[in-house]
Amino acid sequence: MVYSVPLIIFMDDVSGNISKQWNKHHAIYMSNANLPREMLEKEFFVQFVSSSPHALPMELMQAMRESISDAAQSGVIAWDCKYNEEIMLIPYVLFLAGDNPMQAEECSHAGLNCNYFCRTCEAGGTKEYKESEAGYNTIFMFETAFKSGATTKIQNSVSLTGVRDSSSALILTLTENEVEVALQKEFEELLKGGQLNDIINPLLGTDGLDIHMDTPTEILHTILLGVVKYFWGQTVFLLEKVKFLHIFQCRLESIDKDGLNTPCLNADYICHYKGSLIGKHFKSLAQVMPFIIHDLVPPTVLNAWTVIGELVVLVWHTKITDMEAYLACLIPLRDRQYCLEPSKIS
């Protein structure tokens, strides 16, 4: 019997020290996507692959890719203890998990600060265009080519297109003259006796993997520590401006918490340390804010919190049993975001 084994690959930078002193290491972990979710979350089923304080992330990924490719070609022989027979396992990469900066590097993308900030679609444009009504709408609706030139041209290209390949940055810094006159000589020196595949991003040619589509959005930093965090900051600014923060704190303390997945909102802590909140605080606040601030803030801000509350509930589904019904709830929510003024989004 032959079984396919989909793998979830996770890479991030971690500290190699137990103390608070930061000692940066890049580490890769792997999980079997065939396991039920309740098993995937257990430490026993998360397998350590590699770690290094010196190797670049793409160098670690290249070694991982080669190992999986070799295993897929020859197969992994194992024993099935349930059916008492020898089986063959064929591993393949299902998707790569990680935070936004790491996934951007895996995709050769410049990250969220560039004009075209999305690694999976062509959403974006100049700052002026994104702040316009037409540009703002296109963000929710759904060729780049490398050209030889000076470093300034490449930096401008990264800012404009969002494409950056850290593995081949050295090659891209050659001037047009060097490319035309001594391309072969310079190229061989850069390769240092290696192959072209050792220089470019190894994930771009992985069989069965579309690196731009198979890096799912990490919702903690994108939603809670992104949109929700910045709307919280704007809302607190408005409440303090009109001296309503004490009213907000009283309502937050007295609101019914039976429907929430949290024992206590701790209003005193949230209002005192309003600039240092973490994900669990924002997840709870997103669900109760419309009921607390309905007469304390402008209608546009209230409407934004209503949309955010519905969005948080939808994106934290651990299992979608009916995709059509799920999309039927999600699409109207996306359309309602058009009524928000671009200047209200920070």
Side-chain angles (χ1 to χ4, degrees):
M1 186 67 71
V2 179
Y3 294 99
S4 293
V5 182
L7 301 175
I8 300 173
I9 310 298
F10 173 84
M11 180 168 64
D12 200 4
D13 56 323
V14 297
S15 177
N17 291 347
I18 298 176
S19 65
K20 292 184 179 180
Q21 184 177 4
W22 183 252
N23 181 14
K24 186 175 181 178
H25 285 60
H26 286 101
I28 299 179
Y29 297 87
M30 184 182 297
S31 302
N32 184 349
N34 279 328
L35 293 171
R37 171 170 288 275
E38 55 269 19
M39 296 298 179
L40 273 175
E41 295 174 350
K42 297 182 183 299
E43 184 179 350
F44 178 80
F45 294 104
V46 179
Q47 302 298 314
F48 172 79
V49 178
S50 178
S51 178
S52 173
H54 307 296
L56 295 174
M58 289 300 101
E59 292 175 339
L60 294 175
M61 275 295 182
Q62 182 172 1
M64 181 222 63
R65 177 202 170 187
E66 291 173 355
S67 297
I68 294 177
S69 179
D70 292 343
Q73 288 179 6
S74 58
V76 179
I77 304 301
W79 180 259
D80 191 328
C81 59
K82 181 177 181 181
Y83 296 106
N84 292 319
E85 63 179 7
E86 195 175 72
I87 60 173
M88 178 181 286
L89 306 178
I90 307 296
Y92 67 94
V93 180
L94 181 64
F95 65 82
L96 278 79
D99 58 17
N100 287 321
M102 184 56 67
Q103 288 183 324
E105 182 160 358
E106 292 167 351
C107 295
S108 297
H109 185 259
L112 297 176
N113 291 326
C114 61
N115 288 338
Y116 290 87
F117 51 84
C118 183
R119 60 181 176 270
T120 61
C121 70
E122 297 181 358
T126 63
K127 183 175 183 293
E128 293 75 17
Y129 176 71
K130 287 184 288 188
E131 289 181 350
S132 68
E133 183 175 353
Y136 181 76
N137 289 341
T138 59
I139 294 176
F140 297 97
M141 290 179 179
F142 316 120
E143 150 177 43
T144 308
F146 289 132
K147 296 182 179 179
S148 58
T151 303
T152 304
K153 289 184 179 180
I154 296 165
Q155 291 174 345
N156 292 339
S157 176
V158 168
S159 176
L160 180 64
T161 66
V163 175
R164 178 174 60 191
D165 191 342
S166 58
S167 297
S168 59
L170 188 57
I171 296 176
L172 292 174
T173 55
L174 298 174
T175 65
E176 291 180 5
N177 255 353
E178 290 171 324
V179 172
E180 292 172 0
V181 177
L183 179 60
Q184 190 60 40
K185 179 182 175 182
E186 295 289 339
F187 188 60
E188 288 175 357
E189 288 179 3
L190 291 170
L191 288 178
K192 296 178 181 178
Q195 301 296 318
L196 179 59
N197 289 337
D198 298 330
I199 301 298
I200 64 174
N201 185 340
L203 297 174
L204 295 177
T206 304
D207 293 335
L209 180 72
D210 183 342
I211 190 60
H212 294 91
M213 299 302 295
D214 295 335
T215 47
T217 301
E218 193 259 320
I219 55 179
L220 170 63
H221 290 83
T222 306
I223 304 296
L224 294 185
L225 301 179
V227 178
V228 181
K229 177 181 178 180
Y230 293 118
F231 257 103
W232 165 253
Q234 289 279 32
T235 305
V236 168
F237 171 77
L238 293 174
L239 292 173
E240 289 182 326
K241 186 177 180 180
V242 293
K243 300 183 177 359
F244 282 164
L245 189 61
H246 67 287
I247 300 177
F248 171 85
Q249 182 173 345
C250 292
R251 291 181 179 179
L252 182 61
E253 184 64 44
S254 59
I255 195 169
D256 187 358
K257 307 172 185 66
D258 289 343
L260 294 177
N261 234 356
T262 178
C264 179
L265 278 171
N266 200 343
D268 183 61
Y269 178 91
I270 288 175
C271 292
H272 188 270
Y273 298 101
K274 50 187 174 291
S276 305
L277 303 184
I278 59 177
K280 67 178 183 180
H281 299 125
F282 292 124
K283 190 175 181 181
S284 298
L285 284 170
Q287 299 174 65
V288 301
M289 285 293 284
F291 306 101
I292 300 175
I293 62 171
H294 59 89
D295 59 348
L296 303 179
V297 296
T300 51
V301 180
L302 176 61
N303 184 35
W305 276 110
T306 304
V307 173
I308 287 172
E310 295 180 35
L311 176 65
V312 167
V313 172
L314 287 172
V315 298
W316 251 269
H317 273 57
T318 56
K319 185 178 181 181
I320 301 174
T321 53
D322 188 340
M323 182 59 72
E324 291 187 5
Y326 179 81
L327 291 176
C329 297
L330 190 61
I331 292 174
L333 179 63
R334 181 200 67 182
D335 294 339
R336 285 171 57 194
Q337 294 176 353
Y338 294 158
C339 63
L340 300 177
E341 290 290 335
S343 58
K344 298 294 182 185
I345 307 295
S346 59

